[in-house]
Amino acid sequence: MFSLDPQLAKDTVLLGRLRLCQLLLMNDSNYPWFILVPERENLRELHELSDTDSLQFLEESTLLARALNKGLQPYKLNIAVLGNVVPQLHVHHIVRYQYDPAWPAPVWGKLPAKPYYSAEISKLKDLLTKLLGRSFTPA
Amino acid sequence: MFSLDPQLAKDTVLLGRLRLCQLLLMNDSNYPWFILVPERENLRELHELSDTDSLQFLEESTLLARALNKGLQPYKLNIAVLGNVVPQLHVHHIVRYQYDPAWPAPVWGKLPAKPYYSAEISKLKDLLTKLLGRSFTPA
């Protein structure tokens, strides 16, 4: 049975679910930083998804990217599968601005995480719930 | 008309073409580091691809990932769209090993590039040509 990697569980807040993926918010207010985790067991790489899940993942990643683009007006989106430290397949979707504290470097390992106030999390959750529409079930 | 970003052209070697993308090799022998660039004008983000191109991109990225997995046995693949510095849409596919010089950090900005000898480039090109099969036209 699928269960979220303990390190991911510790570092993030569950915002809700799409058909395939959990949508997590990295608890780091330095950047609007979201993570999609397909609820499938024992996956480490994108190319290990079945053909059906792969298409579903593409749909959810595109939906999230367009929602972030509309709602948060990034200068650039950074989308990445790394997994060098946390092996469970998870895909970063990070909203980047030219004035964010790591710009133009990638965000990983740059700054200590700056946890959100709970009101900020609620606000982001409401925004995503509105932007993602019927495909999304808030947690 | 599509033309490759001058910075990408300077940092990489063209290995060949798939139906949608150019396949580039980053000229940095620290890691086997490949880049897919869809031959479409004025794109910055994955979600700007048309629906047809998006599916084609998924197919080519999956084909490349499986080829790298088979031919170079990564400990982990790192796949990323950043584009904070080079705006033209390009997608990194990086073969990572636990003994590579940046492990477990992401590779960007870690070490100066270490250019390949031309014989090493030929060898990688031959390997990819074999692994990617009929979908790939070597340069």
Side-chain angles (χ1 to χ4, degrees):
Chain A
M1 216 183 87
F2 174 85
S3 69
L4 189 63
D5 177 280
Q7 186 68 46
L8 280 177
K10 185 171 163 284
D11 295 343
T12 67
V13 177
L14 175 66
L15 295 184
R17 286 181 170 82
L18 295 155
R19 204 164 86 201
L20 174 65
C21 295
Q22 291 193 8
L23 174 61
L24 309 174
L25 173 68
M26 184 67 101
N27 195 5
D28 180 357
S29 63
N30 283 306
Y31 333 88
W33 180 344
F34 303 87
I35 299 179
L36 288 179
V37 183
E39 291 189 303
R40 295 288 181 264
E41 289 175 73
N42 301 322
L43 290 185
R44 293 179 70 229
E45 302 283 3
L46 268 184
H47 69 262
E48 295 167 1
L49 287 167
S50 71
D51 289 356
T52 308
D53 284 349
S54 179
L55 289 172
Q56 183 62 28
F57 177 80
L58 175 63
E59 189 174 316
E60 295 180 8
S61 176
T62 304
L63 179 71
L64 175 60
R66 288 184 177 151
L68 296 175
N69 198 51
K70 185 167 178 189
L72 297 170
Q73 290 90 37
Y75 179 77
K76 190 69 191 68
L77 279 172
N78 288 177
I79 300 180
V81 187
L82 302 177
N84 304 341
V85 177
V86 169
Q88 184 174 66
L89 178 61
H90 62 286
V91 185
H92 303 277
H93 291 67
I94 309 162
V95 171
R96 302 299 308 276
Y97 302 108
Q98 288 177 298
Y99 52 81
D100 76 39
W103 186 264
V107 299
W108 300 277
K110 276 283 157 190
L111 292 164
K114 206 169 108 188
Y116 284 103
Y117 294 101
S118 61
E120 297 175 298
I121 295 175
S122 302
K123 208 174 135 189
L124 277 169
K125 189 168 156 181
D126 290 349
L127 180 68
L128 270 287
T129 301
K130 194 177 136 202
L131 290 165
L132 292 169
R134 288 178 311 168
S135 313
F136 181 67
T137 310
Chain B
M1 215 183 83
F2 174 84
S3 69
L4 189 62
D5 177 279
Q7 186 68 44
L8 280 178
K10 185 169 162 284
D11 295 344
T12 68
V13 177
L14 175 66
L15 296 183
R17 285 181 171 83
L18 294 155
R19 205 165 86 200
L20 175 64
C21 294
Q22 292 193 6
L23 174 61
L24 309 174
L25 173 68
M26 184 68 100
N27 195 6
D28 180 357
S29 62
N30 284 306
Y31 332 88
W33 180 344
F34 303 86
I35 298 178
L36 288 178
V37 183
E39 291 189 301
R40 295 286 182 264
E41 290 174 73
N42 302 322
L43 290 185
R44 293 179 72 230
E45 302 284 3
L46 269 183
H47 69 261
E48 295 167 2
L49 287 166
S50 71
D51 289 354
T52 308
D53 284 349
S54 179
L55 289 174
Q56 182 61 28
F57 177 80
L58 175 63
E59 189 174 317
E60 296 182 5
S61 176
T62 304
L63 179 71
L64 176 60
R66 289 185 176 152
L68 296 176
N69 200 50
K70 185 165 179 192
L72 297 170
Q73 289 90 39
Y75 180 78
K76 190 71 191 68
L77 279 171
N78 289 176
I79 299 180
V81 187
L82 302 178
N84 303 342
V85 178
V86 170
Q88 184 175 66
L89 177 62
H90 62 287
V91 185
H92 302 278
H93 293 67
I94 308 162
V95 170
R96 303 299 308 275
Y97 302 108
Q98 287 176 296
Y99 53 80
D100 76 38
W103 186 265
V107 301
W108 300 276
K110 274 284 159 188
L111 291 164
K114 205 169 107 186
Y116 284 103
Y117 294 100
S118 61
E120 297 176 298
I121 295 175
S122 301
K123 210 175 133 188
L124 277 169
K125 188 169 157 181
D126 291 349
L127 181 69
L128 270 288
T129 301
K130 194 177 136 200
L131 291 165
L132 293 170
R134 288 178 311 171
S135 312
F136 181 66
T137 308

